Amino acid sequence: MRYSQYLLPTLKETPAEAEVISHQLMLRAGMIRKVAAGIYSYLPFGLRSLRKMEQIIREEMNRAGAIECLMPMANPAELWQESGRWEKYGKELLRFKDRKSADFCMGPTHEEVITDIIRNTVNSYKQLPLNLYQIQTKFRDEIRPRFGLMRGREFIMKDAYSFDLEDSGADTSYQKMYQAYRNIFNRCGLKYRSVEADSGAIGGNFSHEFMVLAESGEDGIVSCDSCEYAANVEKAELIYADSVPPVATQEVQKVDTPGQKTIEDVARFLQVNPQQIVKTLIVQTSNDEVLAVLLRGDRELNPIKLANLLGVDWVLMAEEEVVQEATGAPTGFAGPIGLSIRVVADAEVKTMADFVIGGNAVDVHVVGANHGRDFEVSQFADIRQAVAGDPCPRCKEGKFESWRGIEVGHIFKLGIRYSEAMNATVLDAQGQAQPLVMGCYGIGVGRTVAAAIEQNHDENGIILPMPLAPFQVLVTLLNPKDDQVREAAEKLYQQLLDLNIEVLLDDRDERPGIKFKDADLIGIPLRVTVGARSLKEGNVELKVRESGAVTMVSVDEIVVQLQQLVAQGLAFTLEK
Amino acid sequence: MRYSQYLLPTLKETPAEAEVISHQLMLRAGMIRKVAAGIYSYLPFGLRSLRKMEQIIREEMNRAGAIECLMPMANPAELWQESGRWEKYGKELLRFKDRKSADFCMGPTHEEVITDIIRNTVNSYKQLPLNLYQIQTKFRDEIRPRFGLMRGREFIMKDAYSFDLEDSGADTSYQKMYQAYRNIFNRCGLKYRSVEADSGAIGGNFSHEFMVLAESGEDGIVSCDSCEYAANVEKAELIYADSVPPVATQEVQKVDTPGQKTIEDVARFLQVNPQQIVKTLIVQTSNDEVLAVLLRGDRELNPIKLANLLGVDWVLMAEEEVVQEATGAPTGFAGPIGLSIRVVADAEVKTMADFVIGGNAVDVHVVGANHGRDFEVSQFADIRQAVAGDPCPRCKEGKFESWRGIEVGHIFKLGIRYSEAMNATVLDAQGQAQPLVMGCYGIGVGRTVAAAIEQNHDENGIILPMPLAPFQVLVTLLNPKDDQVREAAEKLYQQLLDLNIEVLLDDRDERPGIKFKDADLIGIPLRVTVGARSLKEGNVELKVRESGAVTMVSVDEIVVQLQQLVAQGLAFTLEK
């Protein structure tokens, strides 16, 4: 492709609308343009990266035995009413009426449509297992679309759905997808972790997220420094060494703590360590229960663990008036003594004695408190957020390291939730109708490209790994008006095209400085500069975008060298 | 691909919902399934054909210098208000509101979005010409979606938009697309015609439709049997030999024609030829004019020619009360004598004398009528539908042949309609802002596959040409339980896969009769049957789906023979 005939509108300034670096760089590098909030056009340069991601996904899904299909974006309400989601799904489900006032939604995911297809085409267990996938445009009417392709409303997703007769088959389908996903993200050349994720009300350990590591990631991840265990902090399990039960040595006693509200304030004021404080959170559940939750002062509640423990959909911090009613004091002074609501504590609290708690009155705390003696805890359980340094629950030898990550894939064992609701059954070997056991598997295509940029950039621009880069080689023609230079660049361009190397020739009538700045911004992995001075010595300049390494290479050797570098950059590395 | 692990649900019965053969066969061959009226899922087998069509389009568009991008389906109202189409576009434009009550529509076409992109990224004539295309899912809320993929509501389309500084450049862009389209449809292996089409109010001869020839086609086409001229009958021009002006020889006279309403009735009753009758149609225009239109008795009005002649958007047959008011009689007896409305006649009428006309009274006609003497015609012009046998207006030597066709592509010179409305300008060499001259170019992807089936099928099923067939070779394994037969089929399957031949292995545990019926139905171009009997003699059976030709081929030669046949089937034939 010749830059002069291409549409690659780079921007010098960072657009004000873009908060995160990938969004800024995708706009500046002419990859995307905003059409409306959370809705983008993919310009040619950006589309090339997306297509590469799609092709890697397609090849690995096919290799894993999944079959590609394509479902519509307009979904009739009837199917969503059958699954029960027409009512349950919030406003992210964009509902609309057609000209005949029939109800439709824009598909944010396609469990309903695929389950309808399968129940109408598959009758016997002999036709199983099946795994169908599509790469398709979805719409989710996010209340706060942001970060460019990271959280858009209209976006391209690969979604796959597996169907098995039995649970064990579904587990095998799941494992195949797990491996396919590892292959996909390995092939992208990204640093990522596959982590155990919360599977919510569905149960089982059958949910993994694939997280591209980046400091700007929205998700916290922990991984063991000794074994393979890795998990979203929302999910990461914790173990507690069996310690000698602590013995109370202090009397319980109220103390005045005027103006001390935070854990840090109280610790400083009472000259104790935050680890000697137990904080009491008043929470409300989706079942309308109000309860008190105890955690060591320096710990954070993991609301998902707590919700799972309680068997509810969600827990939230209680509103001010609820706290007042439950504790007799405003937020910030709650303590477990004398409460009439259920008290649940993090397992770690069980090992604590003689601690500080809130006094259920303004500016009052209690010291020397002990559970079992001063108040009762109905249940101790793992309900806190994991942090770096926590011991690994799997190997019990390593310790957690912590990372930030961007979720780009999620695989999930669904079980029979949709097949039961929609009566999708097959006959088993005994002629009995059995509900299909399903799994679902998603990858955000545009989000992966954006995450790749979050992970791979510098102050000058994008540094996409070779497998996702829009072009593999940039040939910068420095002096378009110098016949000899032009001919050398054109010849190199043609040689690379003939080898099926994806090459962009910057043949624009622009100053070298502009060409170099654009080159760094758009981040094509290999740049060859053809200029009059070096050409006189029979050389061109090769710059590797990632390392910044610059070498002079003879005109006779540059093609072979580029060919090798491209092949290296595309090599499927098994682990990163 | 192994049939036993694939989702290819064939149907024995023709689904009642399907009226046309391509729709019936695509359902029966497991290519598509209906989700809602005009909304389909593409099952794996159907998607393969669509993807092949897309790939052919992509390669030829790229070869022609067009650049691929991707625009969103959700379009904000603001852009459509700028172009003026938000109000003008009828109910086919599906409008909806997002959760914040902002107005959007589902893009039925993307002139607005692409023009917005270009006006924001292109400033100078030096960046031109540009031609951007996408292969994208569109939505048009058709009042009567039908015929499967032929007229759906949600459908995949390739749409391209060219931008030039000047008219002459736009003409060049148009010609490139004309040639790209010929390449595309040639490569599909389809019999088609590129025909001149009506370009409506925009003017110029710059609109061509690409019509796949099929008896079931909705469009009429004429083409010259001597030169290259071909046109939609809506558009086809007609010429009239300069003949000696006719001389009136009869007196004008009223005759009773009791109960004779149609042209045929009157001709029989008066013992004249329909060619001696002039029929009078009372029409209404979009400008609210009522006028009388004269045609030779056996001719059909071409309302588009008439509308273009009058400079109006459309003409329609007048309603009963309008006819009554204009002629004093009900529909069926109109004649030009004594009318107070404008009378327009087809040019052919100018050459007629002593003809029969309506009498403007029930059961009355007039014989011996002559224009100029008995009534005045304000204008003679070419306003009738062309038919087979009409002389060619281009070479003036050949005669028209007529065909039925399915419109699968349409190219159009738009001019500055959108760029003016949306203020999309570039600076020319003199630094003056000039509105961009645009063209737009569409191909219905799914419709082309459906049209290919309309053109290529027999009573047993589909006969897709090799370039669009989902698989190239079907290997039918007759006796899966016979080790020797199974091994031979598996070996052949593997050999073909290794050669990148797209092969489906029918390894199902089904009776031969079922396998053969399915094979004919799904219409893979080449079928190899591996069975115990022929294998004993070292042979397999090769059947060509299109010709039905069956030959026994030695196991040693079958791979090479298949390779040759596949290559032949894919060969780019320049003209069909």
Side-chain angles (χ1 to χ4, degrees):
Chain A
M1 183 58 65
R2 290 165 189 280
Y3 203 142
S4 65
Q5 296 171 17
Y6 200 52
L7 182 69
L8 210 174
T10 55
L11 302 175
K12 276 186 210 134
E13 309 293 330
T14 299
E17 69 186 85
E19 295 170 61
V20 299
I21 192 75
S22 62
H23 189 193
Q24 292 169 1
L25 288 175
M26 291 185 88
L27 289 168
R28 289 189 54 208
M31 297 180 89
I32 56 172
R33 281 295 180 270
K34 182 177 167 182
V35 177
I39 300 173
Y40 291 84
S41 286
Y42 305 97
L43 298 193
F45 195 67
L47 185 62
R48 288 181 73 102
S49 278
L50 260 79
R51 291 278 190 247
K52 292 200 168 181
M53 184 68 209
E54 291 178 6
Q55 191 53 28
I56 291 171
I57 292 172
R58 190 170 277 126
E59 288 172 12
E60 295 304 323
M61 291 301 290
N62 291 348
R63 191 201 305 268
I67 312 169
E68 190 170 4
C69 65
L70 186 61
M71 292 174 270
M73 59 187 189
N75 286 198
E78 292 74 28
L79 291 177
W80 286 71
Q81 284 156 350
E82 266 195 81
S83 74
R85 288 208 285 185
W86 184 258
E87 280 75 29
K88 273 194 197 162
Y89 217 113
K91 286 191 171 179
E92 279 184 26
L93 184 70
L94 194 139
R95 299 162 176 89
F96 66 93
K97 285 180 190 294
D98 71 3
R99 67 191 290 165
K100 289 171 183 166
S101 287
D103 283 311
F104 283 85
C105 65
M106 301 249 232
T109 170
H110 280 78
E111 283 83 0
E112 282 78 1
V113 177
I114 194 75
T115 304
D116 182 55
I117 290 173
I118 295 297
R119 71 178 168 182
N120 289 322
T121 54
V122 175
N123 312 307
S124 159
Y125 74 99
K126 290 181 187 166
Q127 295 166 271
L128 300 179
L130 274 174
N131 186 337
L132 290 157
Y133 76 98
Q134 61 176 349
I135 296 173
Q136 191 255 3
T137 300
K138 307 233 172 296
F139 199 96
R140 290 182 193 166
D141 202 1
E142 294 271 356
I143 190 156
R144 204 155 79 88
R146 60 202 157 129
F147 307 154
L149 300 195
M150 207 75 96
R151 190 169 297 279
R153 292 201 287 175
E154 184 172 327
F155 57 95
I156 300 174
M157 191 170 155
K158 188 285 298 175
D159 46 331
Y161 306 90
S162 66
F163 296 87
D164 281 274
L165 175 66
E166 288 172 329
D167 228 50
S168 60
D171 293 354
T172 305
S173 294
Y174 183 93
Q175 287 307 327
K176 276 190 188 167
M177 283 298 100
Y178 181 84
Q179 189 53 51
Y181 273 46
R182 290 195 69 88
N183 293 347
I184 288 165
F185 294 111
N186 283 333
R187 282 187 59 184
C188 290
L190 296 174
K191 291 181 279 296
Y192 72 98
R193 289 285 183 285
S194 53
V195 305
E196 293 182 13
D198 178 59
S199 52
I202 293 162
N205 258 338
F206 284 89
S207 175
H208 281 86
E209 289 165 335
F210 290 77
M211 297 276 192
V212 168
L213 301 182
E215 280 167 34
S216 58
E218 285 187 283
D219 284 280
I221 303 167
V222 289
S223 64
C224 177
D225 59 10
S226 163
C227 77
E228 287 296 301
Y229 184 80
N232 194 314
V233 290
E234 289 179 346
K235 161 77 179 174
E237 297 154 36
L238 294 168
I239 46 164
Y240 299 94
D242 286 334
S243 57
V244 181
V247 178
T249 61
Q250 298 178 5
E251 292 295 296
V252 65
Q253 191 184 343
K254 279 192 183 177
V255 292
D256 284 335
T257 50
Q260 312 303 317
K261 290 202 72 174
T262 68
I263 295 290
E264 292 70 32
D265 290 343
V266 173
R268 202 179 312 111
F269 185 82
L270 297 177
Q271 293 186 299
V272 298
N273 202 303
Q275 284 95 313
Q276 292 169 266
I277 300 178
V278 167
K279 65 181 169 191
T280 304
L281 306 174
I282 307 298
V283 303
Q284 289 176 286
T285 76
S286 54
N287 286 4
D288 278 335
E289 186 184 354
V290 175
L291 66 164
V293 177
L294 308 187
L295 294 161
R296 201 173 81 177
D298 58 337
R299 301 303 193 187
E300 295 300 324
L301 174 66
N302 182 325
I304 293 177
K305 283 185 183 173
L306 179 59
N308 289 345
L309 175 74
L310 301 174
V312 298
D313 288 344
W314 46 259
V315 294
L316 284 178
M317 288 300 126
E319 289 162 27
E320 185 60 39
E321 57 265 43
V322 176
V323 174
Q324 187 81 44
E325 196 191 318
T327 69
T331 302
F333 303 98
I337 295 178
L339 296 185
S340 57
I341 55 177
R342 180 148 67 128
V343 177
V344 173
D346 181 54
E348 199 172 32
V349 174
K350 198 170 183 180
T351 67
M352 295 171 70
D354 300 330
F355 42 79
V356 176
I357 55 176
N360 293 326
V362 173
D363 290 347
V364 176
H365 281 80
V366 171
V367 299
N370 285 277
H371 53 77
R373 184 189 74 179
D374 308 320
F375 61 92
E376 288 304 319
V377 171
S378 70
Q379 193 171 6
F380 290 97
D382 170 19
I383 55 172
R384 74 166 167 94
Q385 208 92 289
V387 293
D390 278 330
C392 174
R394 192 65 46 87
C395 71
K396 300 186 173 72
E397 285 173 11
K399 279 187 164 29
F400 281 165
E401 296 177 310
S402 78
W403 315 86
R404 303 301 300 171
I406 299 164
E407 184 196 331
V408 290
H410 200 162
I411 61 177
F412 224 106
K413 187 173 161 193
L414 283 174
I416 56 173
R417 163 168 176 9
Y418 292 92
S419 47
E420 268 200 334
M422 297 180 67
N423 197 28
T425 62
V426 289
L427 298 181
D428 65 15
Q430 285 73 47
Q432 299 291 315
Q434 301 288 353
L436 289 156
V437 188
M438 292 173 60
C440 73
Y441 316 96
I443 292 178
V445 175
R447 184 190 273 203
T448 303
V449 173
I453 293 173
E454 288 289 334
Q455 185 179 84
N456 301 282
H457 66 268
D458 63 16
E459 66 280 12
N460 298 316
I462 292 171
I463 315 176
L464 270 178
M466 186 71 75
L468 296 182
F471 292 90
Q472 295 160 343
V473 175
L474 172 69
V475 175
T476 302
L477 165 56
L478 277 199
N479 323 78
K481 280 160 193 162
D482 180 326
D483 282 348
Q484 223 177 338
V485 177
R486 169 173 281 281
E487 276 162 29
E490 290 279 351
K491 186 180 167 193
L492 175 58
Y493 175 62
Q494 198 54 54
Q495 284 173 316
L496 294 174
L497 284 181
D498 292 346
L499 290 167
N500 284 321
I501 289 176
E502 296 164 358
V503 55
L504 180 68
L505 173 68
D506 190 350
D507 59 347
R508 292 176 300 166
D509 186 17
E510 294 282 5
R511 284 182 292 112
I514 290 181
K515 292 191 178 189
F516 290 140
K517 263 205 170 330
D518 279 344
D520 283 344
L521 174 59
I522 66 179
I524 295 173
L526 302 169
R527 184 183 89 200
V528 180
T529 305
V530 185
R533 207 177 311 165
S534 50
L535 203 60
K536 271 194 195 122
E537 291 157 21
N539 289 331
V540 292
E541 184 196 273
L542 170 64
K543 181 177 174 186
V544 178
R545 177 68 182 91
E546 188 179 1
S547 64
V550 175
T551 45
M552 298 305 284
V553 180
S554 114
V555 171
D556 299 333
E557 286 165 22
I558 184 68
V559 174
V560 172
Q561 205 169 122
L562 288 172
Q563 210 177 358
Q564 285 169 350
L565 288 170
V566 169
Q568 278 170 27
L570 293 176
F572 184 153
T573 44
L574 256 170
E575 287 301 324
K576 276 277 220 182
Chain B
M1 183 57 67
R2 292 166 189 279
Y3 203 143
S4 64
Q5 295 170 18
Y6 201 50
L7 183 68
L8 210 174
T10 56
L11 302 175
K12 276 188 208 130
E13 309 293 330
T14 300
E17 69 188 86
E19 293 171 61
V20 300
I21 191 77
S22 62
H23 189 193
Q24 292 168 3
L25 288 175
M26 291 186 88
L27 288 168
R28 287 189 55 208
M31 297 180 89
I32 56 171
R33 284 293 182 270
K34 182 178 167 182
V35 177
I39 300 173
Y40 291 85
S41 287
Y42 305 98
L43 299 193
F45 195 66
L47 183 63
R48 289 182 72 101
S49 278
L50 261 78
R51 291 279 189 247
K52 292 200 168 183
M53 184 67 209
E54 289 178 7
Q55 192 52 29
I56 291 170
I57 292 172
R58 189 170 279 125
E59 288 171 13
E60 295 303 323
M61 292 299 291
N62 291 348
R63 191 200 307 267
I67 312 170
E68 189 170 5
C69 65
L70 185 61
M71 291 175 269
M73 60 187 190
N75 286 197
E78 292 74 27
L79 290 177
W80 287 71
Q81 283 156 351
E82 266 195 81
S83 75
R85 289 208 288 185
W86 183 258
E87 281 75 28
K88 273 194 197 160
Y89 217 112
K91 287 192 171 178
E92 278 184 25
L93 185 69
L94 195 139
R95 299 163 176 89
F96 66 91
K97 284 180 190 294
D98 72 2
R99 65 190 294 167
K100 290 170 183 167
S101 288
D103 282 311
F104 283 85
C105 65
M106 299 250 231
T109 171
H110 280 77
E111 282 84 0
E112 282 79 359
V113 177
I114 194 77
T115 303
D116 181 55
I117 290 173
I118 296 297
R119 70 177 169 183
N120 289 323
T121 55
V122 175
N123 311 308
S124 159
Y125 75 99
K126 290 182 188 166
Q127 295 168 271
L128 302 178
L130 274 175
N131 187 337
L132 289 157
Y133 76 98
Q134 62 175 349
I135 297 173
Q136 191 254 2
T137 299
K138 306 231 171 301
F139 199 95
R140 290 182 192 166
D141 203 1
E142 294 272 354
I143 189 156
R144 204 155 79 87
R146 59 203 158 127
F147 306 154
L149 299 196
M150 208 75 94
R151 191 169 295 279
R153 293 199 286 174
E154 183 171 327
F155 57 95
I156 300 174
M157 193 170 154
K158 187 285 296 175
D159 46 331
Y161 306 90
S162 67
F163 297 86
D164 282 274
L165 174 67
E166 288 173 330
D167 228 49
S168 60
D171 293 355
T172 305
S173 295
Y174 184 93
Q175 288 306 328
K176 277 191 188 166
M177 283 297 101
Y178 180 84
Q179 188 54 50
Y181 274 47
R182 290 196 67 87
N183 293 349
I184 289 166
F185 294 111
N186 284 334
R187 282 186 59 183
C188 291
L190 296 173
K191 291 182 278 296
Y192 73 96
R193 289 284 183 285
S194 52
V195 305
E196 293 182 11
D198 178 61
S199 52
I202 294 162
N205 258 338
F206 285 88
S207 177
H208 281 86
E209 290 164 335
F210 290 77
M211 297 277 192
V212 168
L213 301 182
E215 281 167 33
S216 57
E218 285 187 281
D219 284 280
I221 304 165
V222 290
S223 65
C224 176
D225 60 9
S226 164
C227 78
E228 287 296 301
Y229 183 81
N232 193 315
V233 290
E234 289 178 347
K235 160 79 177 172
E237 297 154 36
L238 293 168
I239 47 162
Y240 299 93
D242 286 334
S243 56
V244 180
V247 179
T249 62
Q250 297 178 9
E251 293 294 299
V252 67
Q253 190 186 341
K254 278 193 184 179
V255 292
D256 286 333
T257 51
Q260 312 303 319
K261 292 202 70 175
T262 68
I263 295 289
E264 292 69 32
D265 290 345
V266 174
R268 202 179 312 111
F269 185 81
L270 295 178
Q271 293 185 299
V272 298
N273 202 303
Q275 284 94 314
Q276 292 169 265
I277 301 178
V278 167
K279 63 182 170 189
T280 304
L281 306 174
I282 308 298
V283 302
Q284 290 178 283
T285 77
S286 54
N287 286 3
D288 278 335
E289 186 184 355
V290 175
L291 67 162
V293 176
L294 308 187
L295 295 161
R296 200 173 82 178
D298 58 337
R299 301 303 193 187
E300 295 299 326
L301 174 67
N302 181 327
I304 293 176
K305 283 185 183 174
L306 179 58
N308 288 346
L309 177 73
L310 300 173
V312 297
D313 288 344
W314 46 258
V315 295
L316 283 177
M317 288 300 126
E319 287 160 29
E320 185 59 38
E321 56 265 42
V322 177
V323 173
Q324 186 82 44
E325 195 190 318
T327 69
T331 302
F333 303 98
I337 296 179
L339 296 185
S340 58
I341 56 178
R342 177 148 71 126
V343 177
V344 172
D346 182 54
E348 198 174 31
V349 173
K350 199 170 183 181
T351 67
M352 295 171 69
D354 300 330
F355 41 78
V356 176
I357 54 174
N360 292 328
V362 174
D363 290 348
V364 175
H365 281 80
V366 171
V367 299
N370 284 277
H371 54 77
R373 184 189 74 181
D374 307 321
F375 61 92
E376 289 303 320
V377 171
S378 71
Q379 192 172 8
F380 291 97
D382 171 19
I383 55 170
R384 74 166 167 95
Q385 206 91 289
V387 294
D390 279 330
C392 174
R394 192 66 45 90
C395 70
K396 300 187 173 75
E397 286 173 11
K399 281 189 165 22
F400 281 166
E401 297 176 309
S402 78
W403 315 84
R404 303 300 300 172
I406 300 164
E407 184 197 331
V408 291
H410 200 162
I411 62 177
F412 223 106
K413 186 173 162 195
L414 282 174
I416 56 172
R417 164 171 177 5
Y418 292 93
S419 47
E420 270 201 332
M422 297 180 66
N423 197 27
T425 62
V426 288
L427 298 181
D428 65 15
Q430 285 73 46
Q432 299 291 313
Q434 301 290 351
L436 289 155
V437 188
M438 291 173 59
C440 72
Y441 316 94
I443 292 178
V445 175
R447 186 191 272 203
T448 303
V449 173
I453 293 173
E454 288 288 334
Q455 185 180 84
N456 300 282
H457 66 269
D458 63 15
E459 66 280 11
N460 298 316
I462 292 171
I463 316 178
L464 272 178
M466 186 71 75
L468 296 182
F471 292 90
Q472 295 160 342
V473 175
L474 172 69
V475 175
T476 302
L477 164 55
L478 276 199
N479 323 79
K481 279 161 191 160
D482 180 327
D483 282 349
Q484 224 176 337
V485 178
R486 167 172 283 280
E487 276 163 28
E490 291 277 353
K491 186 180 167 194
L492 175 56
Y493 174 63
Q494 197 55 52
Q495 285 173 317
L496 295 173
L497 284 182
D498 291 345
L499 290 168
N500 285 322
I501 289 176
E502 296 164 356
V503 54
L504 180 67
L505 173 67
D506 189 351
D507 58 347
R508 292 176 300 165
D509 187 17
E510 293 283 5
R511 284 181 294 112
I514 289 181
K515 293 190 176 189
F516 290 140
K517 263 203 170 328
D518 279 343
D520 282 345
L521 174 60
I522 67 179
I524 294 173
L526 302 169
R527 185 183 88 200
V528 181
T529 305
V530 184
R533 210 178 308 164
S534 50
L535 203 61
K536 271 196 192 119
E537 290 158 20
N539 290 331
V540 292
E541 185 196 273
L542 169 65
K543 183 178 173 184
V544 178
R545 176 69 182 90
E546 187 178 2
S547 64
V550 174
T551 44
M552 298 306 284
V553 180
S554 114
V555 169
D556 299 332
E557 286 164 22
I558 186 68
V559 173
V560 172
Q561 206 168 123
L562 288 171
Q563 211 176 357
Q564 286 168 350
L565 288 170
V566 168
Q568 278 170 27
L570 293 177
F572 184 152
T573 45
L574 255 170
E575 288 302 323
K576 276 279 228 186

